[in-house]
Amino acid sequence: MTTNDTWYIEHFQPTGSAIGFRTTGKLDEVQSPFQKIEIYATTDWGNLMLIDGAVMLTTRDNFFYHEMISHPALYTHADPKRVVIIGGGDCGTLREVLKHQGVQSATQCDIDEQVTRMSEKYFPELCESNSDPRAELLFDDGVAYMANCPAGSVDVVIVDSTDPVGPAEGLFNKAFYDSCFRALKDDGILVQQSESPLALLELIKEMRGEMRKAGFTTFKTLPFPQPCYPTGWWSVTLARKSGNFDFREGDASSKTFETLYYSAHLHTGALVAPPFVAKALSE
Ligand code: AG3
């Protein structure tokens, strides 16, 4: 062990813990009108993207998050054709969504074009589906985009945002969920990244509360490992107007595209909340 290694460490105040990476240099930095985006090269994790100091993704482990924010919702919906991604500027979620042949259109609406420009440069594999004719990339305010979506026009809304502070704050409240509810068809699904269930169960409860106020009635929080995020354990929360979270298990088992973490069995497992989570969320 040497003492002069350089590390990027994200300190996480709510849990008094940190996640860090050994870096070999800073590759880029841009201050956009919305946030500061930085890219580091690491010794073991490929490239690392930070937004305002918070780890967004690494080359090595982004697949956990991008697969779990996409496939459970898409295999829960009976026949998803029209998908909207709010945030997601690195395009990793878009790539997973477009693996589903039945999807006819996927619109990604991120407020910050610089996130996509950085991803194209430093995470090109995540952007490989950006030129798919079904993909639409918008750089606009996601709150306004959802508010203007025609009623009943969307099958799945995916909210792939940063933490609920700064530009993403408006994506965690009733007003935004009202728009999602309106835009979704009756059998539609809203799925949102919902932070660490170890650290922020209260936040997940509040999110669900706001979703409930907007009219959603059924909820499911799926935990999964995410080594690069605080506590190493993360979650997505699914919400529906009505209906359960049984999924197209046969289709998921016989899928013809590759995934690194997601599988029908992992999906089944993720539907089982650990007792302390189930208790806190009264599931
Ligand atoms: N979504 C970011 C989740 C928040 C991470 N939080 C943190 N490191 N404090 C990332 C976008 C990936 N498409």
Side-chain angles (χ1 to χ4, degrees):
M1 193 176 119
T2 57
T3 49
N4 55 0
D5 290 338
T6 310
W7 294 70
Y8 180 78
I9 297 173
E10 179 185 342
H11 297 262
F12 195 57
Q13 295 302 335
T15 49
S17 60
I19 300 270
F21 298 92
R22 191 169 46 207
T23 60
T24 54
K26 189 185 269 198
L27 301 177
D28 218 331
E29 174 177 331
V30 54
Q31 174 66 52
S32 79
F34 307 100
Q35 51 208 358
K36 181 160 111 180
I37 308 162
E38 294 164 275
I39 310 285
Y40 283 91
T42 72
T43 55
D44 296 81
W45 294 73
N47 291 339
L48 164 68
M49 182 192 284
L50 309 176
I51 291 187
D52 290 338
V55 172
M56 288 298 115
L57 56 117
T58 78
T59 306
R60 182 169 175 182
D61 77 341
N62 74 82
F63 63 87
F64 291 98
Y65 177 99
H66 287 136
E67 292 180 8
M68 290 304 283
I69 203 170
S70 307
H71 304 307
L74 287 167
Y75 279 124
T76 301
H77 194 285
D79 185 19
K81 294 192 174 75
R82 166 90 187 115
V83 178
V84 171
I85 301 160
I86 299 299
D90 54 66
C91 307
T93 299
L94 181 65
R95 180 180 75 160
E96 294 307 312
V97 166
L98 291 170
K99 287 179 178 174
H100 292 252
Q101 287 312 313
V103 169
Q104 293 173 353
S105 80
T107 299
Q108 173 190 298
C109 181
D110 195 297
I111 200 161
D112 196 344
E113 178 167 1
Q114 286 310 317
V115 177
T116 301
R117 298 299 159 237
M118 292 292 223
S119 190
E120 287 167 342
K121 215 160 155 190
Y122 299 105
F123 300 91
E125 69 283 5
L126 300 185
C127 298
E128 65 192 12
S129 301
N130 290 6
S131 51
D132 186 306
R134 299 172 296 159
E136 179 184 35
L137 273 69
L138 303 175
F139 302 108
D140 226 325
D141 178 9
V143 173
Y145 181 82
M146 285 315 302
N148 294 326
C149 260
S153 63
V154 181
D155 295 310
V156 178
V157 175
I158 302 178
V159 188
D160 177 7
S161 74
T162 51
D163 296 335
V165 285
E169 207 175 337
L171 302 177
F172 290 81
N173 59 38
K174 175 180 179 291
F176 174 66
Y177 300 138
D178 278 338
S179 303
C180 295
F181 190 89
R182 237 187 90 262
L184 283 167
K185 295 179 190 162
D186 288 344
D187 61 351
I189 299 177
L190 169 65
V191 54
Q192 180 162 23
Q193 78 88 359
S194 48
E195 307 279 311
S196 168
L198 186 61
L200 297 172
L201 266 175
E202 275 309 309
L203 176 95
I204 300 175
K205 267 164 99 171
E206 280 166 32
M207 273 177 67
R208 286 177 171 217
E210 295 294 291
M211 289 170 171
R212 197 182 297 278
K213 284 189 223 159
F216 292 95
T217 67
T218 53
F219 307 92
K220 197 82 201 170
T221 296
L222 281 60
F224 56 91
Q226 186 53 67
C228 73
Y229 290 166
T231 77
W233 200 47
W234 216 248
S235 69
V236 293
T237 294
L238 277 65
R240 307 196 77 167
K241 297 187 179 189
S242 63
N244 61 32
F245 294 93
D246 292 348
F247 68 107
R248 292 181 286 121
E249 207 173 334
D251 291 348
S253 306
S254 59
K255 67 183 175 51
T256 51
F257 56 83
E258 195 195 10
T259 47
L260 299 177
Y261 181 73
Y262 178 85
S263 71
H265 285 125
L266 259 303
H267 187 157
T268 303
L271 291 173
V272 182
F276 82 95
V277 174
K279 190 173 168 200
L281 301 176
S282 338
E283 272 184 353

